[in-house]
PDB file of all heavy atoms in Angstrom:
ATOM      1  N   PHE A  15     -28.471 -27.825 -23.469  1.00 97.00           N
ATOM      2  CA  PHE A  15     -27.826 -28.376 -22.273  1.00 97.00           C
ATOM      3  C   PHE A  15     -27.805 -29.900 -22.351  1.00 97.00           C
ATOM      4  O   PHE A  15     -28.791 -30.541 -22.696  1.00 97.00           O
ATOM      5  CB  PHE A  15     -28.561 -27.936 -21.016  1.00 97.00           C
ATOM      6  CG  PHE A  15     -27.936 -28.463 -19.745  1.00 97.00           C
ATOM      7  CD1 PHE A  15     -26.721 -27.973 -19.301  1.00 97.00           C
ATOM      8  CD2 PHE A  15     -28.557 -29.469 -19.013  1.00 97.00           C
ATOM      9  CE1 PHE A  15     -26.145 -28.452 -18.141  1.00 97.00           C
ATOM     10  CE2 PHE A  15     -27.985 -29.954 -17.852  1.00 97.00           C
ATOM     11  CZ  PHE A  15     -26.775 -29.455 -17.422  1.00 97.00           C
ATOM     12  N   LEU A  16     -26.671 -30.475 -22.021  1.00 96.00           N
ATOM     13  CA  LEU A  16     -26.486 -31.920 -22.031  1.00 96.00           C
ATOM     14  C   LEU A  16     -26.210 -32.382 -20.606  1.00 96.00           C
ATOM     15  O   LEU A  16     -25.276 -31.891 -19.958  1.00 96.00           O
ATOM     16  CB  LEU A  16     -25.311 -32.281 -22.950  1.00 96.00           C
ATOM     17  CG  LEU A  16     -25.174 -33.725 -23.415  1.00 96.00           C
ATOM     18  CD1 LEU A  16     -26.396 -34.176 -24.204  1.00 96.00           C
ATOM     19  CD2 LEU A  16     -23.925 -33.882 -24.266  1.00 96.00           C
ATOM     20  N   LYS A  17     -27.009 -33.297 -20.092  1.00 95.00           N
ATOM     21  CA  LYS A  17     -26.848 -33.747 -18.713  1.00 95.00           C
ATOM     22  C   LYS A  17     -25.552 -34.547 -18.547  1.00 95.00           C
ATOM     23  O   LYS A  17     -25.146 -35.287 -19.429  1.00 95.00           O
ATOM     24  CB  LYS A  17     -28.037 -34.602 -18.289  1.00 95.00           C
ATOM     25  CG  LYS A  17     -29.331 -33.811 -18.118  1.00 95.00           C
ATOM     26  CD  LYS A  17     -30.448 -34.715 -17.618  1.00 95.00           C
ATOM     27  CE  LYS A  17     -31.740 -33.919 -17.406  1.00 95.00           C
ATOM     28  NZ  LYS A  17     -32.831 -34.779 -16.902  1.00 95.00           N
ATOM     29  N   GLY A  18     -24.967 -34.380 -17.378  1.00 95.00           N
ATOM     30  CA  GLY A  18     -23.702 -35.039 -17.076  1.00 95.00           C
ATOM     31  C   GLY A  18     -22.669 -34.002 -16.684  1.00 95.00           C
ATOM     32  O   GLY A  18     -22.822 -32.813 -16.967  1.00 95.00           O
ATOM     33  N   ASP A  19     -21.607 -34.437 -16.032  1.00 95.00           N
ATOM     34  CA  ASP A  19     -20.628 -33.508 -15.470  1.00 95.00           C
ATOM     35  C   ASP A  19     -19.263 -33.613 -16.133  1.00 95.00           C
ATOM     36  O   ASP A  19     -18.822 -34.705 -16.523  1.00 95.00           O
ATOM     37  CB  ASP A  19     -20.443 -33.776 -13.976  1.00 95.00           C
ATOM     38  CG  ASP A  19     -21.708 -33.512 -13.178  1.00 95.00           C
ATOM     39  OD1 ASP A  19     -22.575 -32.761 -13.674  1.00 95.00           O
ATOM     40  OD2 ASP A  19     -21.831 -34.074 -12.068  1.00 95.00           O
ATOM     41  N   VAL A  20     -18.608 -32.450 -16.226  1.00 96.00           N
ATOM     42  CA  VAL A  20     -17.169 -32.398 -16.480  1.00 96.00           C
ATOM     43  C   VAL A  20     -16.515 -32.203 -15.125  1.00 96.00           C
ATOM     44  O   VAL A  20     -16.718 -31.176 -14.462  1.00 96.00           O
ATOM     45  CB  VAL A  20     -16.804 -31.228 -17.417  1.00 96.00           C
ATOM     46  CG1 VAL A  20     -15.287 -31.177 -17.621  1.00 96.00           C
ATOM     47  CG2 VAL A  20     -17.512 -31.361 -18.754  1.00 96.00           C
ATOM     48  N   LEU A  21     -15.780 -33.186 -14.664  1.00 94.00           N
ATOM     49  CA  LEU A  21     -15.148 -33.133 -13.349  1.00 94.00           C
ATOM     50  C   LEU A  21     -13.813 -32.410 -13.466  1.00 94.00           C
ATOM     51  O   LEU A  21     -12.897 -32.891 -14.135  1.00 94.00           O
ATOM     52  CB  LEU A  21     -14.949 -34.549 -12.802  1.00 94.00           C
ATOM     53  CG  LEU A  21     -16.223 -35.412 -12.742  1.00 94.00           C
ATOM     54  CD1 LEU A  21     -15.875 -36.833 -12.305  1.00 94.00           C
ATOM     55  CD2 LEU A  21     -17.249 -34.792 -11.812  1.00 94.00           C
ATOM     56  N   HIS A  22     -13.728 -31.252 -12.838  1.00 93.00           N
ATOM     57  CA  HIS A  22     -12.536 -30.421 -12.947  1.00 93.00           C
ATOM     58  C   HIS A  22     -11.584 -30.741 -11.802  1.00 93.00           C
ATOM     59  O   HIS A  22     -11.752 -30.288 -10.679  1.00 93.00           O
ATOM     60  CB  HIS A  22     -12.945 -28.946 -12.910  1.00 93.00           C
ATOM     61  CG  HIS A  22     -11.841 -27.997 -13.255  1.00 93.00           C
ATOM     62  ND1 HIS A  22     -11.810 -26.696 -12.828  1.00 93.00           N
ATOM     63  CD2 HIS A  22     -10.723 -28.170 -14.003  1.00 93.00           C
ATOM     64  CE1 HIS A  22     -10.724 -26.107 -13.295  1.00 93.00           C
ATOM     65  NE2 HIS A  22     -10.047 -26.978 -13.994  1.00 93.00           N
ATOM     66  N   ARG A  23     -10.558 -31.512 -12.088  1.00 89.00           N
ATOM     67  CA  ARG A  23      -9.615 -31.950 -11.065  1.00 89.00           C
ATOM     68  C   ARG A  23      -8.410 -31.010 -11.022  1.00 89.00           C
ATOM     69  O   ARG A  23      -7.254 -31.432 -11.134  1.00 89.00           O
ATOM     70  CB  ARG A  23      -9.175 -33.383 -11.340  1.00 89.00           C
ATOM     71  CG  ARG A  23     -10.329 -34.383 -11.471  1.00 89.00           C
ATOM     72  CD  ARG A  23      -9.877 -35.767 -11.104  1.00 89.00           C
ATOM     73  NE  ARG A  23     -10.799 -36.820 -11.465  1.00 89.00           N
ATOM     74  CZ  ARG A  23     -11.922 -37.118 -10.828  1.00 89.00           C
ATOM     75  NH1 ARG A  23     -12.291 -36.390  -9.800  1.00 89.00           N
ATOM     76  NH2 ARG A  23     -12.681 -38.125 -11.218  1.00 89.00           N
ATOM     77  N   THR A  24      -8.700 -29.725 -10.887  1.00 88.00           N
ATOM     78  CA  THR A  24      -7.641 -28.723 -10.932  1.00 88.00           C
ATOM     79  C   THR A  24      -6.817 -28.673  -9.658  1.00 88.00           C
ATOM     80  O   THR A  24      -5.665 -28.234  -9.667  1.00 88.00           O
ATOM     81  CB  THR A  24      -8.238 -27.336 -11.224  1.00 88.00           C
ATOM     82  OG1 THR A  24      -7.194 -26.407 -11.481  1.00 88.00           O
ATOM     83  CG2 THR A  24      -9.093 -26.844 -10.061  1.00 88.00           C
ATOM     84  N   LEU A  25      -7.397 -29.110  -8.538  1.00 85.00           N
ATOM     85  CA  LEU A  25      -6.705 -29.016  -7.258  1.00 85.00           C
ATOM     86  C   LEU A  25      -5.725 -30.166  -7.054  1.00 85.00           C
ATOM     87  O   LEU A  25      -6.107 -31.335  -7.110  1.00 85.00           O
ATOM     88  CB  LEU A  25      -7.716 -29.025  -6.109  1.00 85.00           C
ATOM     89  CG  LEU A  25      -8.568 -27.768  -5.935  1.00 85.00           C
ATOM     90  CD1 LEU A  25      -9.640 -28.015  -4.888  1.00 85.00           C
ATOM     91  CD2 LEU A  25      -7.709 -26.584  -5.546  1.00 85.00           C
ATOM     92  N   ILE A  26      -4.478 -29.813  -6.828  1.00 84.00           N
ATOM     93  CA  ILE A  26      -3.479 -30.792  -6.396  1.00 84.00           C
ATOM     94  C   ILE A  26      -2.972 -30.354  -5.027  1.00 84.00           C
ATOM     95  O   ILE A  26      -3.138 -31.047  -4.033  1.00 84.00           O
ATOM     96  CB  ILE A  26      -2.320 -30.906  -7.407  1.00 84.00           C
ATOM     97  CG1 ILE A  26      -2.847 -31.385  -8.771  1.00 84.00           C
ATOM     98  CG2 ILE A  26      -1.266 -31.887  -6.880  1.00 84.00           C
ATOM     99  CD1 ILE A  26      -1.797 -31.452  -9.842  1.00 84.00           C
ATOM    100  N   THR A  27      -2.371 -29.172  -4.982  1.00 89.00           N
ATOM    101  CA  THR A  27      -1.951 -28.564  -3.722  1.00 89.00           C
ATOM    102  C   THR A  27      -2.180 -27.053  -3.822  1.00 89.00           C
ATOM    103  O   THR A  27      -2.350 -26.505  -4.914  1.00 89.00           O
ATOM    104  CB  THR A  27      -0.458 -28.817  -3.431  1.00 89.00           C
ATOM    105  OG1 THR A  27       0.327 -28.156  -4.448  1.00 89.00           O
ATOM    106  CG2 THR A  27      -0.137 -30.308  -3.418  1.00 89.00           C
ATOM    107  N   LEU A  28      -2.137 -26.374  -2.689  1.00 92.00           N
ATOM    108  CA  LEU A  28      -2.243 -24.921  -2.692  1.00 92.00           C
ATOM    109  C   LEU A  28      -1.062 -24.296  -3.435  1.00 92.00           C
ATOM    110  O   LEU A  28      -1.209 -23.283  -4.126  1.00 92.00           O
ATOM    111  CB  LEU A  28      -2.313 -24.394  -1.262  1.00 92.00           C
ATOM    112  CG  LEU A  28      -3.598 -24.708  -0.484  1.00 92.00           C
ATOM    113  CD1 LEU A  28      -3.466 -24.262   0.964  1.00 92.00           C
ATOM    114  CD2 LEU A  28      -4.810 -24.049  -1.135  1.00 92.00           C
ATOM    115  N   GLY A  29       0.110 -24.914  -3.300  1.00 93.00           N
ATOM    116  CA  GLY A  29       1.286 -24.424  -4.010  1.00 93.00           C
ATOM    117  C   GLY A  29       1.113 -24.501  -5.516  1.00 93.00           C
ATOM    118  O   GLY A  29       1.507 -23.588  -6.254  1.00 93.00           O
ATOM    119  N   GLN A  30       0.529 -25.599  -5.982  1.00 90.00           N
ATOM    120  CA  GLN A  30       0.276 -25.764  -7.422  1.00 90.00           C
ATOM    121  C   GLN A  30      -0.700 -24.712  -7.923  1.00 90.00           C
ATOM    122  O   GLN A  30      -0.527 -24.128  -9.002  1.00 90.00           O
ATOM    123  CB  GLN A  30      -0.253 -27.171  -7.691  1.00 90.00           C
ATOM    124  CG  GLN A  30      -0.847 -27.385  -9.066  1.00 90.00           C
ATOM    125  CD  GLN A  30      -2.371 -27.407  -9.038  1.00 90.00           C
ATOM    126  OE1 GLN A  30      -2.991 -27.719  -8.026  1.00 90.00           O
ATOM    127  NE2 GLN A  30      -2.967 -27.084 -10.155  1.00 90.00           N
ATOM    128  N   MET A  31      -1.768 -24.434  -7.133  1.00 91.00           N
ATOM    129  CA  MET A  31      -2.731 -23.416  -7.520  1.00 91.00           C
ATOM    130  C   MET A  31      -2.080 -22.037  -7.551  1.00 91.00           C
ATOM    131  O   MET A  31      -2.355 -21.223  -8.437  1.00 91.00           O
ATOM    132  CB  MET A  31      -3.903 -23.411  -6.543  1.00 91.00           C
ATOM    133  CG  MET A  31      -4.798 -24.635  -6.628  1.00 91.00           C
ATOM    134  SD  MET A  31      -5.616 -24.777  -8.239  1.00 91.00           S
ATOM    135  CE  MET A  31      -6.674 -23.337  -8.216  1.00 91.00           C
ATOM    136  N   GLU A  32      -1.189 -21.783  -6.587  1.00 94.00           N
ATOM    137  CA  GLU A  32      -0.510 -20.495  -6.528  1.00 94.00           C
ATOM    138  C   GLU A  32       0.372 -20.292  -7.761  1.00 94.00           C
ATOM    139  O   GLU A  32       0.402 -19.205  -8.352  1.00 94.00           O
ATOM    140  CB  GLU A  32       0.332 -20.422  -5.249  1.00 94.00           C
ATOM    141  CG  GLU A  32       0.821 -19.035  -4.897  1.00 94.00           C
ATOM    142  CD  GLU A  32       1.484 -19.015  -3.533  1.00 94.00           C
ATOM    143  OE1 GLU A  32       2.058 -20.046  -3.127  1.00 94.00           O
ATOM    144  OE2 GLU A  32       1.439 -17.955  -2.888  1.00 94.00           O
ATOM    145  N   GLU A  33       1.081 -21.346  -8.186  1.00 92.00           N
ATOM    146  CA  GLU A  33       1.925 -21.263  -9.374  1.00 92.00           C
ATOM    147  C   GLU A  33       1.081 -21.038 -10.636  1.00 92.00           C
ATOM    148  O   GLU A  33       1.450 -20.261 -11.523  1.00 92.00           O
ATOM    149  CB  GLU A  33       2.759 -22.536  -9.522  1.00 92.00           C
ATOM    150  CG  GLU A  33       3.863 -22.673  -8.499  1.00 92.00           C
ATOM    151  CD  GLU A  33       4.659 -23.948  -8.684  1.00 92.00           C
ATOM    152  OE1 GLU A  33       4.456 -24.630  -9.716  1.00 92.00           O
ATOM    153  OE2 GLU A  33       5.478 -24.273  -7.809  1.00 92.00           O
ATOM    154  N   LYS A  34      -0.042 -21.726 -10.710  1.00 91.00           N
ATOM    155  CA  LYS A  34      -0.936 -21.570 -11.857  1.00 91.00           C
ATOM    156  C   LYS A  34      -1.448 -20.136 -11.950  1.00 91.00           C
ATOM    157  O   LYS A  34      -1.465 -19.527 -13.023  1.00 91.00           O
ATOM    158  CB  LYS A  34      -2.113 -22.542 -11.733  1.00 91.00           C
ATOM    159  CG  LYS A  34      -3.158 -22.418 -12.838  1.00 91.00           C
ATOM    160  CD  LYS A  34      -4.293 -23.397 -12.637  1.00 91.00           C
ATOM    161  CE  LYS A  34      -5.366 -23.242 -13.701  1.00 91.00           C
ATOM    162  NZ  LYS A  34      -6.475 -24.209 -13.511  1.00 91.00           N
ATOM    163  N   TYR A  35      -1.858 -19.593 -10.818  1.00 94.00           N
ATOM    164  CA  TYR A  35      -2.386 -18.234 -10.803  1.00 94.00           C
ATOM    165  C   TYR A  35      -1.292 -17.195 -11.038  1.00 94.00           C
ATOM    166  O   TYR A  35      -1.554 -16.101 -11.543  1.00 94.00           O
ATOM    167  CB  TYR A  35      -3.104 -17.954  -9.492  1.00 94.00           C
ATOM    168  CG  TYR A  35      -4.469 -18.598  -9.396  1.00 94.00           C
ATOM    169  CD1 TYR A  35      -5.104 -18.775  -8.164  1.00 94.00           C
ATOM    170  CD2 TYR A  35      -5.134 -19.038 -10.541  1.00 94.00           C
ATOM    171  CE1 TYR A  35      -6.366 -19.353  -8.085  1.00 94.00           C
ATOM    172  CE2 TYR A  35      -6.385 -19.625 -10.465  1.00 94.00           C
ATOM    173  CZ  TYR A  35      -6.994 -19.781  -9.239  1.00 94.00           C
ATOM    174  OH  TYR A  35      -8.241 -20.354  -9.158  1.00 94.00           O
ATOM    175  N   LEU A  36      -0.046 -17.518 -10.682  1.00 94.00           N
ATOM    176  CA  LEU A  36       1.077 -16.632 -10.979  1.00 94.00           C
ATOM    177  C   LEU A  36       1.234 -16.474 -12.482  1.00 94.00           C
ATOM    178  O   LEU A  36       1.398 -15.357 -13.000  1.00 94.00           O
ATOM    179  CB  LEU A  36       2.360 -17.186 -10.358  1.00 94.00           C
ATOM    180  CG  LEU A  36       3.645 -16.421 -10.664  1.00 94.00           C
ATOM    181  CD1 LEU A  36       3.578 -15.015 -10.081  1.00 94.00           C
ATOM    182  CD2 LEU A  36       4.862 -17.172 -10.116  1.00 94.00           C
ATOM    183  N   GLN A  37       1.169 -17.588 -13.194  1.00 92.00           N
ATOM    184  CA  GLN A  37       1.236 -17.547 -14.660  1.00 92.00           C
ATOM    185  C   GLN A  37       0.057 -16.780 -15.240  1.00 92.00           C
ATOM    186  O   GLN A  37       0.222 -15.927 -16.120  1.00 92.00           O
ATOM    187  CB  GLN A  37       1.261 -18.961 -15.235  1.00 92.00           C
ATOM    188  CG  GLN A  37       1.222 -19.007 -16.762  1.00 92.00           C
ATOM    189  CD  GLN A  37       0.948 -20.393 -17.311  1.00 92.00           C
ATOM    190  OE1 GLN A  37       0.987 -21.385 -16.590  1.00 92.00           O
ATOM    191  NE2 GLN A  37       0.655 -20.475 -18.595  1.00 92.00           N
ATOM    192  N   LEU A  38      -1.146 -17.082 -14.733  1.00 93.00           N
ATOM    193  CA  LEU A  38      -2.346 -16.431 -15.244  1.00 93.00           C
ATOM    194  C   LEU A  38      -2.304 -14.918 -15.037  1.00 93.00           C
ATOM    195  O   LEU A  38      -2.644 -14.150 -15.947  1.00 93.00           O
ATOM    196  CB  LEU A  38      -3.586 -17.005 -14.557  1.00 93.00           C
ATOM    197  CG  LEU A  38      -4.207 -18.262 -15.156  1.00 93.00           C
ATOM    198  CD1 LEU A  38      -5.318 -18.761 -14.259  1.00 93.00           C
ATOM    199  CD2 LEU A  38      -4.737 -18.001 -16.551  1.00 93.00           C
ATOM    200  N   SER A  39      -1.902 -14.475 -13.864  1.00 95.00           N
ATOM    201  CA  SER A  39      -1.898 -13.049 -13.578  1.00 95.00           C
ATOM    202  C   SER A  39      -0.910 -12.311 -14.477  1.00 95.00           C
ATOM    203  O   SER A  39      -1.179 -11.187 -14.920  1.00 95.00           O
ATOM    204  CB  SER A  39      -1.587 -12.785 -12.104  1.00 95.00           C
ATOM    205  OG  SER A  39      -0.275 -13.189 -11.770  1.00 95.00           O
ATOM    206  N   SER A  40       0.222 -12.949 -14.771  1.00 95.00           N
ATOM    207  CA  SER A  40       1.209 -12.314 -15.647  1.00 95.00           C
ATOM    208  C   SER A  40       0.692 -12.206 -17.073  1.00 95.00           C
ATOM    209  O   SER A  40       0.865 -11.170 -17.732  1.00 95.00           O
ATOM    210  CB  SER A  40       2.519 -13.106 -15.615  1.00 95.00           C
ATOM    211  OG  SER A  40       3.107 -13.073 -14.331  1.00 95.00           O
TER     212      SER A  40
END
């Protein structure tokens, strides 16, 4: 384990998350 964070800036809008998950589910 290496101390420190990977900051996951995945959130832009709910619409963007919905589109991302649409691709993933397919």
Side-chain angles (χ1 to χ4, degrees):
F15 181 71
L16 197 60
K17 290 183 178 181
D19 296 339
V20 178
L21 305 175
H22 190 205
R23 305 206 193 284
T24 189
L25 289 172
I26 298 177
T27 64
L28 291 174
Q30 167 257 335
M31 291 297 294
E32 194 172 30
E33 289 180 9
K34 177 181 178 180
Y35 284 162
L36 176 64
Q37 176 192 348
L38 274 174
S39 65
S40 295

